[in-house]
């Protein structure tokens, strides 16, 4: 059975661009007699708000976009992400990183100075066991990072056609922050697996996230869903739609009649 998801972040009112994504998922689910899951991606705890979540769900209902499961909140699923992270640690596909914010910022600036893309340099990737034991004994805070496969990533996008990313496209990105809250890519990959999502339909701005999520799902020993990345709504200046172009939320347009 086809299973799709609409996964808004409750950090603002429902944007017309996100509405387009919701509509595509809704219509595809109904056409295929599948199910639409609404997932609230609220791991940006400082910016997420219950009022925004209620506003988003209210706007979806007003538009006639119904869903079959949810809303499911990621903040209610933290133990699940920790279980998956521990599994990757035990498999050697993740590791604890003890670098401080200051160290990472210094390395980021140095990479930019050299004209290189800023990415983690793997300092903690292969620490000798005795060094790691000493650091852990000090109780130093850490994040959990992914140890990617050294291989290229390819997928046949249902809308855009074939995508190919080179073997070094995925870096050692963060899975769990020091607070224990999952990163966007990690939570999304875990949830897509756990919820049995068969098709991911979303905006083209998510294309750079897809190689990370595919590699994670493969590390879980599962098969990635089919991906479809639609074009973004733009203003008259051909730039991505934003507040500078006028009303961009469903709520604003409703109030304008």
């Amino acid at each position: 059975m086809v299973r799709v998801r609409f996964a808004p972040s409750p950090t603002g009112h429902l944007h017309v661009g996100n509405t387009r994504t919701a509509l595509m998922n809704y219509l595809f689910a109904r056409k295929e007699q599948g199910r639409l899951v609404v997932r609230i991606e609220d791991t940006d705890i400082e910016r997420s708000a219950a009022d925004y979540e209620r506003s988003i769900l209210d706007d979806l209902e007003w538009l006639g976009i119904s869903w079959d499961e949810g809303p499911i909140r990621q903040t209610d699923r933290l133990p699940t992400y920790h279980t998956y992270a521990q599994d990757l640690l035990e498999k050697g596909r993740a590791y604890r990183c003890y670098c401080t914010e200051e160290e990472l910022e210094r390395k980021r600036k140095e990479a930019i100075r050299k004209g290189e893309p800023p990415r983690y340099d793997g300092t903690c990737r292969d620490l000798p066991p005795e060094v790691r034991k000493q650091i852990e004994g000090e109780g130093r805070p850490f994040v959990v990072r992914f140890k990617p496969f050294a291989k290229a990533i390819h997928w046949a996008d249902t809308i855009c056609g074939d995508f190919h990313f080179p073997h070094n496209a995925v870096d050692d990105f963060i899975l769990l922050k020091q607070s224990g809250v999952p990163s966007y890519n990690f939570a999304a990959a875990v949830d897509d697996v756990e919820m049995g999502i068969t098709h991911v339909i979303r905006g083209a701005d998510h294309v750079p996230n897809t190689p990370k999520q595919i590699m994670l799902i493969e590390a879980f020993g599962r098969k990635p869903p089919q991906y479809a990345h639609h074009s973004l709504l733009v203003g008259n200046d051909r730039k991505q739609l934003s507040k500078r172009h006028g009303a961009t939320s469903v709520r604003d347009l409703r109030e304008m009649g």
Side-chain angles (χ1 to χ4, degrees), residues 3-252:
R3 290 177 59 84
V4 295
R5 43 79 158 181
F6 176 57
S9 297
T11 56
H13 296 295
L14 184 63
H15 188 276
V16 292
N18 286 339
T19 304
R20 186 184 188 199
T21 299
L23 183 61
M24 287 185 176
N25 279 279
Y26 168 74
L27 292 174
F28 183 68
R30 296 296 171 260
K31 174 180 178 291
E32 300 295 330
Q33 298 183 330
R35 296 182 69 80
L36 170 61
V37 180
V38 167
R39 186 169 78 213
I40 304 298
E41 297 191 337
D42 57 351
T43 55
D44 186 348
I45 294 173
E46 292 183 356
R47 297 173 59 223
S48 296
D51 286 347
Y52 286 135
E53 178 185 327
R54 285 191 292 269
S55 171
I56 290 169
L57 298 177
D58 180 55
D59 285 342
L60 289 174
E61 290 178 339
W62 180 77
L63 289 164
I65 298 176
S66 59
W67 54 93
D68 305 293
E69 297 176 28
I72 300 169
R73 298 170 189 84
Q74 289 186 328
T75 50
D76 293 335
R77 294 172 44 76
L78 297 182
T80 299
Y81 307 128
H82 291 181
T83 297
Y84 272 77
Q86 183 60 38
D87 182 60
L88 291 178
L89 284 167
E90 292 174 359
K91 290 179 178 177
R93 294 258 59 93
Y95 61 94
R96 294 179 177 87
C97 171
Y98 308 93
C99 296
T100 65
E101 290 291 336
E102 293 75 18
E103 290 170 333
L104 294 174
E105 179 62 16
R106 177 176 54 78
K107 293 176 181 179
R108 188 187 72 84
K109 289 180 177 178
E110 180 63 17
I112 292 175
R113 187 187 68 78
K114 293 179 178 178
E116 302 171 352
R119 54 192 293 159
Y120 185 63
D121 64 357
T123 298
C124 295
R125 172 191 270 256
D126 298 307
L127 286 176
E130 62 274 13
V131 174
R132 189 174 296 278
K133 183 177 180 180
Q134 177 184 343
I135 292 174
E136 291 176 351
E138 297 170 357
R140 195 182 302 182
F142 61 86
V143 301
V144 176
R145 289 185 181 273
F146 184 54
K147 187 183 290 186
F149 300 101
K151 69 172 188 176
I153 292 292
H154 160 261
W155 78 93
D157 198 276
T158 306
I159 294 176
C160 300
D162 287 348
F163 277 99
H164 296 269
F165 282 76
H167 72 281
N168 60 349
V170 177
D171 66 350
D172 296 16
F173 64 94
I174 292 174
L175 304 181
L176 293 180
K177 305 171 187 176
Q178 287 187 6
S179 62
V181 173
S183 66
Y184 161 73
N185 281 301
F186 184 49
V190 170
D191 287 346
D192 285 345
V193 165
E194 287 276 304
M195 298 172 189
I197 301 302
T198 61
H199 298 74
V200 173
I201 306 170
R202 57 189 179 187
D205 52 331
H206 281 285
V207 166
N209 293 321
T210 305
K212 296 180 179 181
Q213 292 171 19
I214 288 176
M215 198 170 283
L216 275 171
I217 292 171
E218 290 180 346
F220 300 152
R222 304 291 288 274
K223 181 181 178 181
Q226 290 183 248
Y227 292 93
H229 293 89
H230 62 75
S231 59
L232 304 178
L233 295 180
V234 297
N236 291 332
D237 57 3
R238 309 305 300 168
K239 294 183 179 178
Q240 189 172 342
L241 207 61
S242 69
K243 284 290 186 182
R244 69 175 178 273
H245 297 106
T248 57
S249 74
V250 173
R251 182 56 49 97
D252 290 342

